[in-house]
Short mmCIF file of all heavy atoms in Angstrom, two decimals:
data_model
loop_
_atom_site.label_atom_id
_atom_site.label_comp_id
_atom_site.label_asym_id
_atom_site.label_seq_id
_atom_site.Cartn_x
_atom_site.Cartn_y
_atom_site.Cartn_z
N ARG T 196 -36.36 82.72 -59.82
CA ARG T 196 -37.21 82.83 -61.01
C ARG T 196 -37.75 81.46 -61.37
O ARG T 196 -37.05 80.45 -61.24
CB ARG T 196 -36.43 83.39 -62.20
CG ARG T 196 -36.25 84.89 -62.07
CD ARG T 196 -35.57 85.48 -63.26
NE ARG T 196 -34.91 86.72 -62.85
CZ ARG T 196 -34.20 87.50 -63.63
NH1 ARG T 196 -34.05 87.17 -64.90
NH2 ARG T 196 -33.65 88.59 -63.17
N PHE T 221 -21.64 108.51 -67.39
CA PHE T 221 -21.53 107.20 -68.04
C PHE T 221 -20.06 106.79 -68.15
O PHE T 221 -19.73 105.61 -68.10
CB PHE T 221 -22.18 107.27 -69.43
CG PHE T 221 -22.55 105.93 -69.97
CD1 PHE T 221 -23.81 105.40 -69.73
CD2 PHE T 221 -21.65 105.18 -70.72
CE1 PHE T 221 -24.16 104.15 -70.22
CE2 PHE T 221 -21.99 103.92 -71.22
CZ PHE T 221 -23.25 103.40 -70.97
N LEU T 224 -19.16 105.01 -65.07
CA LEU T 224 -19.68 103.63 -65.15
C LEU T 224 -18.71 102.74 -65.91
O LEU T 224 -18.30 101.67 -65.44
CB LEU T 224 -21.05 103.64 -65.83
CG LEU T 224 -21.61 102.31 -66.36
CD1 LEU T 224 -21.84 101.33 -65.24
CD2 LEU T 224 -22.92 102.54 -67.12
N LYS T 225 -18.32 103.20 -67.10
CA LYS T 225 -17.42 102.38 -67.91
C LYS T 225 -16.07 102.20 -67.22
O LYS T 225 -15.51 101.10 -67.23
CB LYS T 225 -17.22 103.03 -69.29
CG LYS T 225 -16.42 102.12 -70.21
CD LYS T 225 -16.36 102.58 -71.63
CE LYS T 225 -15.54 101.57 -72.44
NZ LYS T 225 -15.27 102.03 -73.81
N LEU T 228 -16.41 99.73 -64.22
CA LEU T 228 -16.63 98.34 -64.65
C LEU T 228 -15.41 97.77 -65.37
O LEU T 228 -15.16 96.56 -65.32
CB LEU T 228 -17.89 98.24 -65.52
CG LEU T 228 -19.20 98.49 -64.74
CD1 LEU T 228 -20.40 98.34 -65.66
CD2 LEU T 228 -19.32 97.55 -63.54
N THR T 232 -13.67 94.37 -64.16
CA THR T 232 -13.49 93.16 -64.98
C THR T 232 -12.00 92.83 -65.15
O THR T 232 -11.63 91.66 -65.18
CB THR T 232 -14.15 93.31 -66.37
OG1 THR T 232 -13.72 94.54 -66.96
CG2 THR T 232 -15.65 93.32 -66.26
N GLY T 241 -10.44 92.37 -72.62
CA GLY T 241 -11.14 93.43 -73.32
C GLY T 241 -12.55 93.61 -72.78
O GLY T 241 -13.15 92.65 -72.30
N VAL T 242 -13.07 94.84 -72.81
CA VAL T 242 -14.43 95.11 -72.34
C VAL T 242 -15.16 95.90 -73.41
O VAL T 242 -14.58 96.79 -74.03
CB VAL T 242 -14.40 95.96 -71.04
CG1 VAL T 242 -15.82 96.19 -70.53
CG2 VAL T 242 -13.57 95.29 -69.96
N ARG T 243 -16.43 95.56 -73.65
CA ARG T 243 -17.21 96.41 -74.55
C ARG T 243 -18.63 96.58 -74.00
O ARG T 243 -19.14 95.71 -73.29
CB ARG T 243 -17.24 95.86 -75.98
CG ARG T 243 -18.21 94.73 -76.16
CD ARG T 243 -18.32 94.32 -77.63
NE ARG T 243 -19.30 93.23 -77.73
CZ ARG T 243 -19.55 92.54 -78.84
NH1 ARG T 243 -18.88 92.81 -79.95
NH2 ARG T 243 -20.46 91.59 -78.86
N LEU T 244 -19.22 97.72 -74.31
CA LEU T 244 -20.59 97.99 -73.88
C LEU T 244 -21.49 98.00 -75.11
O LEU T 244 -21.14 98.61 -76.13
CB LEU T 244 -20.67 99.35 -73.17
CG LEU T 244 -20.32 99.35 -71.66
CD1 LEU T 244 -18.86 99.08 -71.43
CD2 LEU T 244 -20.74 100.66 -71.03
N ARG T 245 -22.62 97.32 -75.00
CA ARG T 245 -23.61 97.31 -76.08
C ARG T 245 -24.88 97.96 -75.56
O ARG T 245 -25.27 97.74 -74.41
CB ARG T 245 -23.96 95.88 -76.48
CG ARG T 245 -22.99 95.20 -77.42
CD ARG T 245 -23.44 93.78 -77.73
NE ARG T 245 -23.35 92.91 -76.56
CZ ARG T 245 -24.39 92.49 -75.88
NH1 ARG T 245 -25.63 92.83 -76.23
NH2 ARG T 245 -24.22 91.71 -74.83
N PRO T 246 -25.56 98.77 -76.40
CA PRO T 246 -26.81 99.40 -75.97
C PRO T 246 -27.84 98.32 -75.61
O PRO T 246 -27.89 97.28 -76.26
CB PRO T 246 -27.28 100.18 -77.19
CG PRO T 246 -26.12 100.25 -78.10
CD PRO T 246 -25.23 99.09 -77.80
N SER T 247 -28.60 98.57 -74.57
CA SER T 247 -29.60 97.60 -74.15
C SER T 247 -30.77 98.34 -73.52
O SER T 247 -30.86 99.57 -73.61
CB SER T 247 -28.96 96.61 -73.17
OG SER T 247 -29.87 95.57 -72.86
N TYR T 248 -31.65 97.58 -72.89
CA TYR T 248 -32.79 98.23 -72.23
C TYR T 248 -33.08 97.59 -70.89
O TYR T 248 -33.14 96.36 -70.76
CB TYR T 248 -34.06 98.13 -73.09
CG TYR T 248 -35.27 98.58 -72.32
CD1 TYR T 248 -35.53 99.94 -72.14
CD2 TYR T 248 -36.12 97.66 -71.70
CE1 TYR T 248 -36.61 100.37 -71.38
CE2 TYR T 248 -37.20 98.07 -70.95
CZ TYR T 248 -37.44 99.43 -70.79
OH TYR T 248 -38.48 99.85 -70.02
N PHE T 249 -33.20 98.40 -69.86
CA PHE T 249 -33.76 97.97 -68.57
C PHE T 249 -34.71 99.07 -68.12
O PHE T 249 -34.44 100.26 -68.37
CB PHE T 249 -32.65 97.78 -67.51
CG PHE T 249 -31.65 96.73 -67.89
CD1 PHE T 249 -30.39 97.09 -68.38
CD2 PHE T 249 -31.95 95.37 -67.79
CE1 PHE T 249 -29.47 96.13 -68.75
CE2 PHE T 249 -31.03 94.41 -68.17
CZ PHE T 249 -29.78 94.77 -68.65
N PHE T 251 -35.20 100.38 -65.33
CA PHE T 251 -34.70 101.25 -64.26
C PHE T 251 -33.43 102.00 -64.61
O PHE T 251 -32.85 102.69 -63.77
CB PHE T 251 -34.48 100.43 -62.98
CG PHE T 251 -33.93 99.05 -63.24
CD1 PHE T 251 -32.56 98.82 -63.27
CD2 PHE T 251 -34.79 97.98 -63.48
CE1 PHE T 251 -32.05 97.56 -63.52
CE2 PHE T 251 -34.28 96.70 -63.74
CZ PHE T 251 -32.92 96.49 -63.77
N THR T 252 -32.94 101.86 -65.85
CA THR T 252 -31.77 102.63 -66.28
C THR T 252 -32.01 103.25 -67.64
O THR T 252 -32.73 102.70 -68.48
CB THR T 252 -30.51 101.73 -66.37
OG1 THR T 252 -30.85 100.52 -67.04
CG2 THR T 252 -29.94 101.42 -65.00
N PRO T 254 -29.40 105.88 -70.24
CA PRO T 254 -29.34 104.74 -71.15
C PRO T 254 -28.89 103.47 -70.43
O PRO T 254 -28.34 103.53 -69.34
CB PRO T 254 -28.30 105.19 -72.17
CG PRO T 254 -27.41 106.11 -71.43
CD PRO T 254 -28.29 106.82 -70.44
N SER T 255 -29.12 102.34 -71.10
CA SER T 255 -28.74 101.05 -70.53
C SER T 255 -27.72 100.36 -71.44
O SER T 255 -27.67 100.64 -72.65
CB SER T 255 -29.95 100.13 -70.41
OG SER T 255 -30.97 100.73 -69.63
N ALA T 256 -26.94 99.48 -70.84
CA ALA T 256 -25.94 98.76 -71.63
C ALA T 256 -25.79 97.34 -71.11
O ALA T 256 -26.06 97.05 -69.95
CB ALA T 256 -24.59 99.47 -71.53
N GLU T 257 -25.37 96.47 -72.02
CA GLU T 257 -24.91 95.16 -71.59
C GLU T 257 -23.40 95.16 -71.73
O GLU T 257 -22.86 95.69 -72.70
CB GLU T 257 -25.57 94.05 -72.41
CG GLU T 257 -26.85 93.60 -71.73
CD GLU T 257 -27.78 92.79 -72.61
OE1 GLU T 257 -27.64 92.82 -73.85
OE2 GLU T 257 -28.65 92.13 -72.04
N VAL T 258 -22.72 94.58 -70.75
CA VAL T 258 -21.26 94.63 -70.73
C VAL T 258 -20.72 93.25 -71.10
O VAL T 258 -21.11 92.24 -70.51
CB VAL T 258 -20.75 95.06 -69.33
CG1 VAL T 258 -19.23 95.06 -69.31
CG2 VAL T 258 -21.31 96.43 -68.96
N ASP T 259 -19.85 93.24 -72.09
CA ASP T 259 -19.21 91.98 -72.52
C ASP T 259 -17.73 92.03 -72.18
O ASP T 259 -17.11 93.11 -72.19
CB ASP T 259 -19.31 91.82 -74.05
CG ASP T 259 -20.75 91.72 -74.53
OD1 ASP T 259 -21.65 91.49 -73.71
OD2 ASP T 259 -20.97 91.89 -75.76
N ILE T 260 -17.15 90.86 -71.91
CA ILE T 260 -15.69 90.78 -71.84
C ILE T 260 -15.23 89.87 -72.98
O ILE T 260 -15.99 89.03 -73.46
CB ILE T 260 -15.18 90.22 -70.49
CG1 ILE T 260 -15.81 88.85 -70.20
CG2 ILE T 260 -15.47 91.20 -69.36
CD1 ILE T 260 -15.14 88.11 -69.06
N TRP T 278 -16.98 87.29 -77.66
CA TRP T 278 -17.38 88.07 -76.49
C TRP T 278 -18.32 87.30 -75.59
O TRP T 278 -19.08 86.45 -76.05
CB TRP T 278 -18.07 89.37 -76.92
CG TRP T 278 -17.18 90.29 -77.68
CD1 TRP T 278 -17.06 90.38 -79.04
CD2 TRP T 278 -16.26 91.25 -77.13
NE1 TRP T 278 -16.12 91.33 -79.38
CE2 TRP T 278 -15.61 91.89 -78.22
CE3 TRP T 278 -15.91 91.62 -75.83
CZ2 TRP T 278 -14.65 92.88 -78.04
CZ3 TRP T 278 -14.96 92.61 -75.66
CH2 TRP T 278 -14.33 93.23 -76.76
N LEU T 279 -18.26 87.62 -74.30
CA LEU T 279 -19.16 87.00 -73.33
C LEU T 279 -19.88 88.09 -72.54
O LEU T 279 -19.24 88.98 -71.98
CB LEU T 279 -18.35 86.15 -72.34
CG LEU T 279 -17.59 84.95 -72.90
CD1 LEU T 279 -16.59 84.44 -71.87
CD2 LEU T 279 -18.57 83.85 -73.29
N GLU T 280 -21.20 87.99 -72.50
CA GLU T 280 -21.95 88.97 -71.72
C GLU T 280 -21.83 88.64 -70.25
O GLU T 280 -22.05 87.50 -69.85
CB GLU T 280 -23.42 88.93 -72.14
CG GLU T 280 -24.25 89.99 -71.46
CD GLU T 280 -25.74 89.70 -71.58
OE1 GLU T 280 -26.17 89.20 -72.64
OE2 GLU T 280 -26.44 89.95 -70.59
N ILE T 281 -21.43 89.61 -69.41
CA ILE T 281 -21.33 89.29 -67.98
C ILE T 281 -22.18 90.18 -67.08
O ILE T 281 -22.41 89.84 -65.94
CB ILE T 281 -19.88 89.28 -67.46
CG1 ILE T 281 -19.23 90.66 -67.64
CG2 ILE T 281 -19.06 88.18 -68.09
CD1 ILE T 281 -18.14 90.87 -66.60
N LEU T 282 -22.62 91.32 -67.57
CA LEU T 282 -23.52 92.09 -66.70
C LEU T 282 -24.37 93.10 -67.46
O LEU T 282 -24.10 93.43 -68.62
CB LEU T 282 -22.78 92.76 -65.53
CG LEU T 282 -21.51 93.58 -65.72
CD1 LEU T 282 -21.87 95.00 -66.16
CD2 LEU T 282 -20.76 93.64 -64.39
N GLY T 283 -25.42 93.57 -66.77
CA GLY T 283 -26.27 94.63 -67.28
C GLY T 283 -25.99 95.88 -66.47
O GLY T 283 -25.64 95.80 -65.29
N ALA T 284 -26.13 97.04 -67.09
CA ALA T 284 -25.80 98.28 -66.37
C ALA T 284 -26.49 99.47 -67.03
O ALA T 284 -27.13 99.33 -68.08
CB ALA T 284 -24.28 98.49 -66.37
N GLY T 285 -26.37 100.62 -66.40
CA GLY T 285 -26.91 101.82 -67.02
C GLY T 285 -26.95 102.97 -66.03
O GLY T 285 -26.62 102.80 -64.85
N MET T 286 -27.35 104.15 -66.55
CA MET T 286 -27.52 105.32 -65.67
C MET T 286 -28.90 105.22 -65.04
O MET T 286 -29.89 104.96 -65.74
CB MET T 286 -27.39 106.62 -66.48
CG MET T 286 -26.06 106.78 -67.21
SD MET T 286 -24.62 106.62 -66.12
CE MET T 286 -24.74 108.14 -65.18
N ALA T 306 -26.04 102.06 -62.15
CA ALA T 306 -26.31 100.78 -61.47
C ALA T 306 -25.85 99.66 -62.39
O ALA T 306 -25.71 99.85 -63.60
CB ALA T 306 -27.79 100.64 -61.17
N PHE T 307 -25.59 98.52 -61.80
CA PHE T 307 -25.23 97.35 -62.61
C PHE T 307 -25.65 96.09 -61.87
O PHE T 307 -25.87 96.11 -60.65
CB PHE T 307 -23.73 97.33 -62.92
CG PHE T 307 -22.85 97.36 -61.71
CD1 PHE T 307 -22.46 96.19 -61.08
CD2 PHE T 307 -22.41 98.57 -61.18
CE1 PHE T 307 -21.66 96.22 -59.96
CE2 PHE T 307 -21.60 98.62 -60.06
CZ PHE T 307 -21.22 97.44 -59.44
N GLY T 308 -25.80 95.01 -62.61
CA GLY T 308 -26.18 93.75 -61.99
C GLY T 308 -25.58 92.60 -62.76
O GLY T 308 -25.52 92.63 -63.99
N MET T 309 -25.10 91.60 -62.00
CA MET T 309 -24.50 90.45 -62.69
C MET T 309 -24.93 89.14 -62.03
O MET T 309 -25.25 89.10 -60.84
CB MET T 309 -22.97 90.57 -62.67
CG MET T 309 -22.36 90.43 -61.30
SD MET T 309 -20.63 90.92 -61.29
CE MET T 309 -20.74 92.60 -60.69
N ARG T 313 -22.89 82.60 -63.50
CA ARG T 313 -22.24 82.78 -64.80
C ARG T 313 -20.79 83.19 -64.64
O ARG T 313 -19.90 82.66 -65.31
CB ARG T 313 -23.01 83.83 -65.61
CG ARG T 313 -22.45 84.03 -67.00
CD ARG T 313 -23.45 84.70 -67.91
NE ARG T 313 -22.82 85.12 -69.15
CZ ARG T 313 -22.54 84.32 -70.16
NH1 ARG T 313 -22.85 83.04 -70.07
NH2 ARG T 313 -21.95 84.78 -71.25
#
Side-chain angles (χ1 to χ4, degrees):
R196 283 184 205 179
F221 200 91
L224 163 63
K225 187 172 181 187
L228 291 181
T232 50
V242 182
R243 79 174 181 186
L244 275 69
R245 279 179 292 106
S247 186
Y248 170 78
F249 299 103
F251 38 90
T252 45
S255 303
E257 269 164 342
V258 178
D259 297 344
I260 56 167
W278 296 95
L279 297 166
E280 184 196 323
I281 61 153
L282 50 81
M286 301 306 289
F307 56 89
M309 68 192 97
R313 183 161 169 79

